Amino acid sequence: MDSESRQRMILEFTLTRGRVEVSALAEELDVALETVRRDLKTLANRRQLKRVHGGAIPLEIVAFHPGVEYRRGVDLAHKHRIAAAAVELLRGATTVFLDAGYTSRLIAERLVNKELTVITPSLLAAEAFVVSSTATVLLLGGRIRGSALSTADHWTLEMLRSFNIDLAYLEAKSISIEHGITTCDPADAAVKQSAVRATRRRILIAADSMLESESLTRFAEVSEFEAMVTGPELSNTDANLYETAGTVVIRA
């Protein structure tokens, strides 16, 4: 197979699957790892995809906010591992903020049998507690953001400002040591920023595709998080850089 045909296949796989891995592509296309890396570099230089640790993602995921149905199907096993590791950091917290996002929903599913008060703008996370007899859920009111199934704007912020919360699990669109923690939607960023201010401890949920990229609106710095839970693809060198910036890196 010539390089043009191979690169077209790689691009198609990336668009349909949401993420591709170098090792899996090498096996599927029956080529060397270095060949796949060169192809990904070529496609990234053409701005047809974005390189991430261990593979690549479609460029539009970086620029836009995908809907819940899309995010449910991307890197699901990876998100389950991150959620499980994040819950291990609860450490006696009795009041918890859960962010909008599908990984936050997976965290919620692991908290349903605990005695907690959960504050969240996420309809997805709140719904997980319908079966709980131990948790109290306070769903923040406001305008519903349809793509994320969460609330935002004035009422959401006013309610959130009235709380003193032990621990927040926060998701982001992009994470960078230089540019901070960012997201695409300014309304979403305002809710996250308010959650940072209302909480004593904060855990950052960081899929590999988010690392060392940037989005429109900054809501926090890396140093404001007790820990960053991410995937195993993050190199030791990059993990050390994030830890030097002030957070503990946990690779799930």
Side-chain angles (χ1 to χ4, degrees):
M1 183 186 299
D2 61 62
S3 60
E4 286 280 331
S5 299
R6 191 174 57 247
Q7 287 164 17
R8 280 198 299 271
M9 289 186 69
I10 291 173
L11 186 58
E12 182 180 346
F13 291 157
T14 307
L15 292 169
T16 56
R17 298 172 185 176
R19 180 188 174 99
V20 291
E21 303 290 339
V22 171
S23 56
L25 284 173
E27 182 176 349
E28 192 167 358
L29 299 173
D30 194 25
V31 294
L33 293 172
E34 192 54 41
T35 300
V36 174
R37 292 191 184 101
R38 283 198 302 270
D39 286 339
L40 292 180
K41 182 177 180 180
T42 298
L43 291 166
N45 288 341
R46 293 177 189 160
R47 297 193 59 77
Q48 291 179 289
L49 52 70
K50 176 178 170 58
R51 290 296 311 273
V52 296
H53 294 282
I57 60 172
L59 197 63
E60 62 262 29
I61 292 182
V62 179
F64 301 104
H65 187 81
V68 171
E69 288 300 325
Y70 180 87
R71 284 177 282 145
R72 275 178 173 154
V74 175
D75 286 342
L76 191 56
H78 183 193
K79 290 173 181 175
H80 274 288
R81 292 196 304 272
I82 288 177
V87 169
E88 292 298 315
L89 301 174
L90 190 64
R91 294 176 185 165
T94 59
T95 53
V96 174
F97 175 86
L98 285 178
D99 201 1
Y102 194 67
T103 307
S104 292
R105 162 65 190 230
L106 298 178
I107 292 172
E109 291 174 358
R110 288 165 170 79
L111 297 177
V112 293
N113 294 321
K114 297 186 180 294
E115 292 189 8
L116 296 169
T117 297
V118 176
I119 298 97
T120 183
S122 170
L123 279 69
L124 275 178
E127 188 218 12
F129 291 96
V130 169
V131 298
S132 177
S133 60
T134 55
T136 298
V137 179
L138 304 178
L139 179 62
L140 300 172
R143 175 180 63 87
I144 292 180
R145 298 169 56 239
S147 63
L149 290 180
S150 68
T151 57
D153 293 342
H154 175 74
W155 288 348
T156 312
L157 299 178
E158 283 299 306
M159 291 179 70
L160 191 47
R161 288 187 191 113
S162 68
F163 293 117
N164 294 306
I165 304 169
D166 293 333
L167 175 66
Y169 291 107
L170 286 159
E171 300 194 40
K173 188 70 179 61
S174 306
I175 299 162
S176 164
I177 293 171
E178 180 181 359
H179 300 288
I181 319 300
T182 56
T183 192
C184 296
D185 186 340
D188 182 34
V191 175
K192 295 177 190 293
Q193 188 175 64
S194 188
V196 168
R197 292 171 179 162
T199 50
R200 299 179 183 87
R201 299 169 51 217
R202 293 162 291 279
I203 306 298
L204 181 60
I205 306 304
D208 300 311
S209 59
M210 302 170 182
L211 299 176
E212 288 313 301
S213 59
E214 60 182 288
S215 297
L216 176 65
T217 311
R218 182 193 312 229
F219 65 86
E221 304 295 336
V222 171
S223 60
E224 294 181 272
F225 290 84
E226 173 185 307
M228 180 175 81
V229 186
T230 187
E233 291 85 356
L234 184 67
S235 68
N236 289 334
T237 299
D238 288 340
N240 288 336
L241 289 174
Y242 280 102
E243 294 199 333
T244 299
T247 190
V248 174
V249 174
I250 297 171
R251 287 175 282 191

